[in-house]
């Protein structure tokens, strides 16, 4: 009975993590550029009980009994499919129309700054010292250009346009035009990326342990490769969370959780009966 309780509680603990994943997906169903996550389970260690050798009865099932110890989350994968495009008619709203392409964002860290990646393209301008403007996202983090530096321009801006090749064209009030190459990266192996927070993903810290290099994981689009960039302004990419699927998964996980909780209750009742024998 104790083993039954351990098996059930092991599984319940992992199901709680799946609740958290589904809850996070539902909470971000209206977050632009968000990618849903999905957990997959695998069996924990089990013990094999082999049938008596004298037992020659024909069976359809495998020989013996496997006594497991529960299940655990084997891995959590993100769904990298594109979301639909939502029109906003705002000049500084951008959407990447090619899968696996990401904006480069400069995020402050304890050790300085690092480049992270997102498909959330709602950008703003913020004034900085020297009478200039800097392009930032809705978290206030600078957007990087093709050289990995913050995007700066003068504060007399009249208009913004996107040109082929991921070029942001900024027109001043005096008619001068500044062309800026937005930093766009193709994530070749997205499942190796680490989910940081919200819509941000970054390189894992253990690339050497995984046996890969940065060049194996992503490619910064430069030169002629920038013709591959699919970029549109005045629209935003919605999340790829399917509300109906998440609710169905939530119901299934809830039923599994109740089943395992019931197993704990029954094991406790049986232990009570045994302990009550005089």
């Amino acid at each position: 009975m104790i083993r039954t309780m351990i098996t059930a509680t092991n599984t319940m603990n992992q199901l709680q993590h799946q609740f958290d994943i589904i809850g996070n997906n539902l909470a971000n169903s209206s977050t632009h550029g968000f990618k849903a996550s999905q957990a997959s389970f695998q069996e924990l260690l089990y013990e094999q009980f082999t049938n008596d050798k004298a037992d020659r009865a024909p069976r359809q099932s495998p020989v013996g009994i496997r006594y497991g110890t529960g299940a655990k989350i084997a891995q959590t994968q993100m769904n990298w499919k594109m979301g639909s495009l939502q029109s906003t008619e705002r000049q500084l709203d951008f959407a990447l129309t090619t899968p696996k392409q990401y904006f480069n964002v400069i995020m402050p860290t304890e050790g300085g700054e690092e480049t992270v990646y997102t498909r959330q393209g709602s950008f703003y301008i913020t004034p900085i010292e020297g009478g200039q403007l800097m392009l930032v996202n809705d978290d206030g983090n600078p957007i990087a250009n093709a050289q990995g530096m913050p995007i700066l321009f003068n504060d007399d801006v009249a208009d913004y346009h996107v040109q082929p090749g991921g070029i942001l064209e900024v027109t001043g009030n005096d008619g001068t035009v500044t062309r800026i190459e937005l930093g766009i990266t193709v994530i070749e192996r997205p499942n190796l990326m680490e989910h940081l927070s919200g819509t941000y993903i970054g390189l894992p810290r253990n690339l050497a342990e995984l046996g890969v290099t940065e060049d194996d994981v992503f490619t910064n689009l430069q030169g002629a490769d920038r013709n591959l960039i699919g970029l549109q302004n005045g629209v935003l990419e919605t999340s790829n969370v399917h509300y109906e699927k998440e609710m169905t998964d939530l119901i299934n996980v809830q039923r599994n959780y109740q089943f395992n909780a019931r197993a704990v209750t029954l094991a406790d009742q049986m232990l009570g009966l045994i302990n009550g024998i005089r």
Side-chain angles (χ1 to χ4, degrees):
M1 301 308 162
I2 297 296
R3 187 165 184 175
T4 299
M5 298 176 75
I6 293 174
T7 300
T9 52
N10 285 342
T11 305
M12 289 171 67
N13 179 57
Q14 296 299 301
L15 287 171
Q16 184 61 56
H17 290 306
Q18 191 175 16
F19 274 128
D20 296 338
I21 292 170
I22 295 173
N24 185 57
N25 288 342
L26 291 172
N28 287 282
S29 59
S30 59
T31 301
H32 293 106
F34 181 81
K35 301 301 178 187
S37 298
Q38 184 172 358
S40 58
F41 282 76
Q42 74 176 24
E43 207 174 16
L44 290 172
L45 292 176
Y46 59 84
E47 186 175 356
Q48 176 76 28
F49 292 89
T50 305
N51 291 348
D52 191 317
K53 293 181 180 180
D55 184 2
R56 303 295 184 181
R59 301 179 183 276
Q60 298 295 325
S61 59
V63 176
I65 300 173
R66 290 181 176 181
Y67 201 141
T69 55
K72 71 170 185 177
I73 293 180
Q75 61 179 346
T76 303
Q77 289 187 321
M78 295 187 72
N79 178 3
W80 302 104
K81 292 183 179 179
M82 284 183 56
S84 58
L85 298 182
Q86 178 183 11
S87 176
T88 64
E89 298 183 358
R90 180 174 173 270
Q91 289 184 330
L92 287 178
D93 283 345
F94 302 91
L96 291 162
T97 57
T98 303
K100 296 185 178 182
Q101 294 185 357
Y102 285 78
F103 297 108
N104 297 354
V105 179
I106 302 172
M107 179 179 287
T109 62
E110 295 180 358
E113 295 177 337
E114 69 172 321
T115 301
V116 298
Y117 309 94
T118 182
R119 286 184 67 90
Q120 212 273 24
S122 181
F123 298 157
Y124 301 87
I125 54 174
T126 184
I128 59 173
E129 296 179 358
Q132 288 188 306
L133 300 175
M134 181 168 63
L135 190 67
V136 299
N137 64 4
D138 54 2
D139 292 326
N141 295 319
I143 305 302
N145 60 19
Q147 289 71 44
M149 303 299 294
I151 295 175
L152 306 176
F153 40 82
N154 294 327
D155 61 356
D156 60 341
V157 177
D159 204 3
Y160 304 91
H161 287 287
V162 167
Q163 298 297 334
I167 295 176
L168 175 62
E169 192 174 80
V170 181
T171 304
N173 291 318
D174 58 357
T176 59
V177 176
T178 303
R179 292 179 175 85
I180 303 167
E181 292 184 340
L182 294 173
I184 307 294
T185 297
V186 176
I187 307 296
E188 306 287 356
R189 302 177 67 178
N191 285 329
L192 289 179
M193 300 297 285
E194 178 182 353
H195 179 231
L196 302 176
S197 63
T199 62
Y200 298 117
I201 59 174
L203 279 173
R205 308 296 182 185
N206 60 339
L207 280 180
E209 296 178 13
L210 296 173
V212 296
T213 64
E214 291 187 5
D215 293 336
D216 297 325
V217 179
F218 64 75
T219 301
N220 290 319
L221 297 178
Q222 303 283 353
D225 289 340
R226 294 190 63 85
N227 293 325
L228 302 174
I229 295 174
L231 185 63
Q232 183 178 348
N233 73 324
V235 295
L236 288 173
E237 180 187 358
T238 62
S239 74
N240 64 357
V241 175
H242 295 285
Y243 193 84
E244 299 82 359
K245 175 185 178 300
E246 298 298 330
M247 291 302 299
T248 302
D249 290 345
L250 183 63
I251 293 171
N252 289 333
V253 176
Q254 179 66 35
R255 288 175 176 172
N256 290 334
Y257 193 91
Q258 290 174 339
F259 176 81
N260 284 276
R262 183 61 177 165
V264 173
T265 302
L266 291 174
D268 181 63
Q269 291 174 352
M270 295 179 72
L271 283 172
L273 291 173
I274 293 171
N275 291 331
I277 296 176
R278 293 288 185 262

